[in-house]
Amino acid sequence: QMLAIAPNKETECRETIKKICDSFAVSPIARDIIETASQINGGAGAGGIELPKHAKHAANDPYFLQPMEGVDGTGYRASWWTQFYCILWRSWLSVLKDPMLVKVRLLQTAMVASLIGSIYFGQVLDQDGVMNINGSLFLFLTNMTFQNVFAVINVFSAELPVFLREKRSRLYRVDTYFLGKTIAELPLFIAVPFVFTSITYPMIGLKAGVSHYLTTLFIVTLVANVSTSFGYLISCASSSISMALSVGPP
């Protein structure tokens, strides 16, 4: 994206690309690559005939992929744990690169929780209070459901072309990709129910006691994560983001 030429911004993009390329050209990595490339170009065989790369370089040369012989029956060059670690790290970086989104989601959750807590503030256990508490618990579920479904419904639709290309290249399995991406986003899907429950529970006046609060928090967290999984299902089954957004609500 940084190196692309955007329409109607050709001059700005070319200046940005030139700065990036100039910065890379004077970096230690670039010097190492140039040195390695010069050694490769100088490695001709007898009579000036170029030798195959795998003949000139040892199998453990870091600049060349090893031949497919010896790779396990799955056809992947990396082990399951290596694939999982790399996907988890990449997904975690993508989460960290957008801290504003995390702040907005937590702020939104706090505002909605405060609003629900204000509406149902200080309920007592009489006939009206029980009905009001039932209504507040219904809002617990609907808020955790819709908020988390629509938070992830565009995730896989947007990344599907990249995933398919990397999957066809045998870079990683489907399960490592799904687990890595899900676990990287898990802290946020635990923090949102925690913030929501911690604000609304005492404001509404639900049953006092740490064990009751923790039980509620556990159930709300499960609901949030099941909703997230359902959002992933809709996202995977949809061919585009617009299709996912159309299929999700019903």
Side-chain angles (χ1 to χ4, degrees):
Q1 189 174 0
M2 289 296 297
L3 297 175
I5 304 294
N8 303 322
K9 295 183 180 179
E10 287 82 358
T11 305
E12 300 173 21
C13 292
R14 292 186 190 281
E15 290 177 358
T16 303
I17 292 170
K18 188 175 185 304
K19 290 178 183 177
I20 294 173
C21 293
D22 290 344
S23 300
F24 176 76
V26 297
S27 66
I29 298 175
R31 288 197 293 270
D32 291 343
I33 292 174
I34 293 172
E35 183 180 342
T36 305
S38 64
Q39 293 174 1
I40 294 171
N41 292 333
I49 299 172
E50 187 74 12
L51 293 174
K53 289 180 179 178
H54 60 78
K56 294 186 297 180
H57 299 275
N60 59 358
D61 194 321
Y63 292 99
F64 292 98
L65 290 172
Q66 298 180 15
M68 288 300 292
E69 291 82 1
V71 175
D72 60 9
T74 61
Y76 296 98
R77 297 181 185 276
S79 66
W80 192 96
W81 284 108
T82 303
Q83 296 174 34
F84 172 73
Y85 173 77
C86 291
I87 293 293
L88 178 63
W89 178 242
R90 185 173 73 173
S91 301
W92 180 243
L93 285 180
S94 68
V95 172
L96 295 181
K97 283 180 180 177
D98 202 357
M100 184 56 66
L101 180 63
V102 177
K103 293 176 183 176
V104 167
R105 284 209 60 198
L106 293 176
L107 180 62
Q108 174 194 3
T109 302
M111 291 174 64
V112 172
S114 301
L115 179 63
I116 294 175
S118 301
I119 294 172
Y120 293 97
F121 186 79
Q123 296 299 317
V124 293
L125 285 177
D126 54 16
Q127 187 63 36
D128 291 337
V130 170
M131 294 177 65
N132 290 335
I133 288 173
N134 281 338
S136 68
L137 295 179
F138 174 75
L139 287 177
F140 265 63
L141 298 179
T142 53
N143 186 68
M144 284 296 100
T145 301
F146 281 92
Q147 181 181 354
N148 288 289
V149 166
F150 287 100
V152 301
I153 205 166
N154 64 339
V155 170
F156 288 115
S157 298
E159 295 188 4
L160 191 59
V162 176
F163 166 74
L164 290 176
R165 186 180 70 231
E166 294 177 341
K167 178 69 174 66
R168 291 191 191 107
S169 301
R170 311 289 288 175
L171 292 180
Y172 48 73
R173 309 163 193 262
V174 177
D175 55 347
T176 54
Y177 173 78
F178 180 79
L179 287 172
K181 191 150 191 61
T182 304
I183 293 174
E185 297 175 347
L186 190 61
L188 180 60
F189 295 125
I190 293 176
V192 166
F194 174 77
V195 171
F196 184 83
T197 308
S198 298
I199 294 174
T200 52
Y201 198 94
M203 288 184 71
I204 296 172
L206 298 177
K207 194 169 184 179
V210 176
S211 62
H212 302 300
Y213 163 75
L214 292 177
T215 302
T216 307
L217 178 60
F218 177 68
I219 294 172
V220 172
T221 303
L222 285 182
V223 170
N225 283 276
V226 168
S227 304
T228 302
S229 299
F230 182 73
Y232 284 148
L233 172 65
I234 297 294
S235 183
C236 291
S238 303
S239 56
S240 63
I241 296 176
S242 57
M243 177 68 73
L245 293 174
S246 300
V247 173

